[in-house]
Amino acid sequence: MNTNTNPLKITEVVLRDAHQSLLATRMKTADMLPIAEKLDAVGFFSLEMWGGATFDSCIRFLNEDPWERVRVLKKKMPKTPFQMLLRGQNCVGYRHYADDIVERFVQKSADVGIDIFRIFDALNDLRNIEVAVKTAKKAGGTVEGCISYTVSPVHNIPLYKDMAKRIVDMGCDILCIKDMAGLLTPQVAGPLITELKKEIPLPIHLHSHATTGLAGMNMQAAINAGVDMVDTAISSLSMGTSHYPTECIVAATQGTPRDSGLDLELLEEISAYFKEVRKHYAQYESNFVGVDINILQSQIPGGMISNMENQLREQNAHDKLDEVLKEVPRVRKDLGYPPLVTPTSQIVGSQATLNVLTGERYKIITKETRECVLGKYGKLPGELEPELVQKIAKEEKLIDCRPADLLDPEWEKISAEVGDRAKSDEDRLTYAMFPKVALKFFETRGKPLPEAAPAAASANGKKGAPAAAPSAAPAASAASAGPAVYEVKVNGKPYTVEVGPA
């Protein structure tokens, strides 16, 4: 029986995960600043506003300095703790970095204004979060150690309880259940929180996406079981692949022992603001609409499906999608049932796609699949397919140590590489995360990005199209009037594009 009668604490994710889930992480700092003071006045437990894909998106698409985003928002929101998502040894990048890079990145994040570090590892290999946890604690931050929730024959409540105890032993301040694919069901959420509450002395924070339509029931089950904090998104950027609406949880707890105490009228004002902001990013809207209950069976997140669709379209093989969706669970089983979250979702999805397109399983093995099997991402949860291991391991040796133990310190090398193109340690860390993208950013920083002509983003047909792509309306009107020719510049290179009726 839950005896928790403390007010429910709420983390608002509109400044990070909501627009990452719905708008391709394109929200600009300029659209956050006008509402910042009202967000600060609500009384949230924290505002998740950094980490994840925001760092990459700032320098790749928005021509913004991600470090500066934290500083300018902090000035407007001094009262509410700022929270970031950190991928353990990956920081905000897509590979393992040496310990000296991780330590500097975490310390600098604390210096610019991050208060709460939510730290996870895609494989739930807790060795991969140790350095980040230790550094964040040393820097005076609050640390949320994560369990990446997934469903498989090797994942169960006893396993999660064991992980939670290890997270406590590491010195974390909060335990986070990170349900990134929306796989939780209420009949699991309640018992999981109940069992963890019995043995774990830390506050428990639930992060669950709305993709499968069960988020509201999961939240209520967790609240009844005594969860301390939940992640929500302001209603105008909620649901779909995003999160359950903040206002719904506030209304549902009003007048109960878990009353959040937040002001619904103020939240409605904030929602109205973001309803207008969302219109600015219509061209980045996710194609995912409504609910996808099939994810409970396939366990494939919506974003992963859209990525595979793009891969297949590029190969003129969109008709193979159903085959690929059936192949994904088989590849996941072969790889020991990793949770499907960055980067393992991309690894499994790409390998499944190749298996189908080549007509032979593992005829071509991606570099990432190879490294995953060899242990270079960490320890996989279950047993690997022996034939696959034999095929890969005959060339290289499997490792069983923490992957970062094999990496030499990188800071001096990176500093020398980037030279005076980096103006600060922040720039050097940006370069460490994304070398090629960072160099381009250093050239364009502070300069207005050229506006693309109508339909440029779709016409050039390449990923990484200009961030300031226009809405589709002008292109539609031009097309209806007959063919029109535009000159479009992509990364400084001119292209001639003709837009006409389909």
Side-chain angles (χ1 to χ4, degrees):
M1 180 71 181
N2 170 38
T3 57
N4 188 342
T5 57
N6 294 324
L8 180 70
K9 297 174 182 176
I10 293 178
T11 290
E12 174 57 60
V13 301
V14 68
L15 301 184
R16 204 283 296 178
D17 207 2
H19 73 98
Q20 180 171 324
S21 298
L22 299 177
L23 308 174
T25 332
R26 291 304 208 279
M27 192 184 294
K28 300 173 184 175
T29 305
D31 279 329
M32 302 175 184
L33 287 168
I35 199 65
E37 290 176 5
K38 286 185 178 178
L39 284 168
D40 198 32
V42 174
F44 294 119
F45 169 70
S46 63
L47 275 163
E48 193 202 43
M49 49 70 62
W50 213 57
T54 60
F55 197 101
D56 185 359
S57 186
C58 274
I59 63 169
R60 191 182 299 269
F61 301 117
L62 306 182
N63 200 31
E64 289 189 18
D65 189 330
W67 304 99
E68 189 63 17
R69 172 177 288 189
V70 186
R71 276 191 289 265
V72 298
L73 287 174
K74 197 73 172 179
K75 288 177 183 175
K76 289 273 192 178
M77 295 185 278
K79 295 185 293 186
T80 308
F82 278 8
Q83 182 171 313
M84 80 167 291
L85 180 66
L86 189 80
R87 301 187 191 108
Q89 208 70 27
N90 293 9
C91 294
V92 292
Y94 305 110
R95 69 169 177 89
H96 281 225
Y97 299 94
D99 290 344
D100 61 338
I101 298 292
V102 176
E103 289 164 355
R104 286 176 182 268
F105 188 92
V106 173
Q107 180 62 58
K108 183 58 69 176
S109 301
D111 291 345
V112 297
I114 298 300
D115 304 289
I116 300 174
F117 293 81
R118 176 176 286 170
I119 306 174
F120 80 100
D121 177 67
L123 298 181
N124 282 326
D125 186 341
L126 298 183
R127 298 174 302 174
N128 291 334
I129 72 170
E130 287 173 352
V131 171
V133 168
K134 183 179 177 181
T135 308
K137 291 287 290 182
K138 186 178 177 182
T142 298
V143 177
E144 285 197 2
C146 282
I147 292 172
S148 295
Y149 179 79
T150 191
V151 178
S152 84
V154 300
H155 291 88
N156 49 44
I157 289 180
L159 173 68
Y160 290 138
K161 283 167 68 173
D162 178 65
M163 284 183 59
K165 290 173 184 175
R166 291 165 59 202
I167 285 170
V168 173
D169 292 341
M170 291 172 71
C172 295
D173 304 291
I174 298 167
L175 171 67
C176 175
I177 308 300
K178 181 175 168 57
D179 177 27
M180 56 280 169
L183 296 177
L184 264 179
T185 59
Q187 58 265 37
V188 175
L192 178 61
I193 299 297
T194 298
E195 289 299 309
L196 290 172
K197 274 286 178 185
K198 286 178 184 176
E199 300 185 36
I200 305 302
L202 303 181
I204 299 177
H205 198 153
L206 178 62
H207 168 98
S208 183
H209 284 255
T211 324
T212 54
L214 296 172
M217 289 182 276
N218 288 334
M219 292 281 180
Q220 190 59 59
I223 292 166
N224 292 345
V227 77
D228 298 274
M229 306 97 165
V230 295
D231 283 1
T232 59
I234 203 73
S235 58
S236 49
L237 276 170
S238 67
M239 300 306 285
T241 53
S242 181
H243 295 254
Y244 200 64
T246 304
E247 300 96 309
C248 292
I249 292 295
V250 171
T253 59
Q254 277 185 340
T256 74
R258 304 303 311 280
D259 195 328
S260 70
L262 303 188
D263 183 343
L264 267 175
E265 288 189 11
L266 180 54
L267 291 172
E268 287 166 8
E269 290 179 40
I270 294 168
S271 181
Y273 173 82
F274 281 110
K275 183 178 181 181
E276 292 303 309
V277 165
R278 184 169 183 168
K279 295 174 184 177
H280 303 173
Y281 302 95
Q283 66 268 40
Y284 303 115
E285 285 275 0
S286 167
N287 291 328
F288 181 96
V289 178
V291 165
D292 186 358
I293 202 67
N294 293 324
I295 291 172
L296 291 177
Q297 296 299 322
S298 69
Q299 299 184 23
I300 304 171
M304 183 178 170
I305 293 175
S306 61
N307 186 49
M308 288 189 298
E309 282 183 304
N310 286 334
Q311 289 178 337
L312 291 169
R313 280 195 193 98
E314 288 170 2
Q315 301 297 323
N316 293 318
H318 193 258
D319 60 317
K320 303 282 189 184
L321 181 61
D322 285 345
E323 287 181 59
V324 173
L325 293 180
K326 290 174 184 175
E327 177 65 5
V328 165
R330 293 194 285 262
V331 172
R332 183 175 180 240
K333 178 178 183 291
D334 292 346
L335 293 180
Y337 296 107
L340 294 179
V341 61
T342 301
T344 50
S345 54
Q346 290 89 334
I347 294 170
V348 171
S350 296
Q351 187 61 58
T353 303
L354 273 175
N355 287 358
V356 169
L357 291 181
T358 61
E360 180 183 331
R361 303 191 77 226
Y362 306 112
K363 179 178 181 180
I364 299 174
I365 299 176
T366 68
K367 173 176 175 282
E368 291 77 16
T369 298
R370 191 177 303 279
E371 291 184 344
C372 198
V373 169
L374 291 172
K376 293 184 179 180
Y377 287 86
K379 182 175 172 55
L380 288 152
E383 294 295 321
L384 280 72
E385 169 56 42
E387 288 184 15
L388 179 60
V389 174
Q390 186 178 11
K391 189 170 185 177
I392 290 172
K394 66 181 179 184
E395 301 169 21
E396 292 188 60
K397 183 182 176 184
L398 272 68
I399 66 169
D400 57 8
C401 65
R402 183 182 72 110
D405 288 340
L406 302 176
L407 301 176
D408 293 326
E410 296 184 72
W411 180 250
E412 296 302 328
K413 178 188 172 189
I414 280 168
S415 299
E417 269 182 18
V418 69
D420 58 9
R421 290 172 292 187
K423 306 303 180 188
S424 64
D425 280 356
E426 291 171 10
D427 282 357
R428 293 179 190 97
L429 286 164
T430 299
Y431 176 81
M433 295 295 111
F434 305 102
K436 292 180 181 177
V437 181
L439 291 179
K440 180 66 177 175
F441 167 68
F442 296 156
E443 290 177 13
T444 59
R445 175 170 45 191
K447 300 174 185 175
L449 287 175
E451 288 291 326
S458 58
N460 68 64
K462 294 184 180 181
K463 292 180 181 178
S471 67
S477 60
S480 62
V485 177
Y486 300 91
E487 183 178 275
V488 180
K489 283 189 177 180
V490 180
N491 293 330
K493 185 175 180 180
Y495 292 84
T496 300
V497 179
E498 181 178 299
V499 178

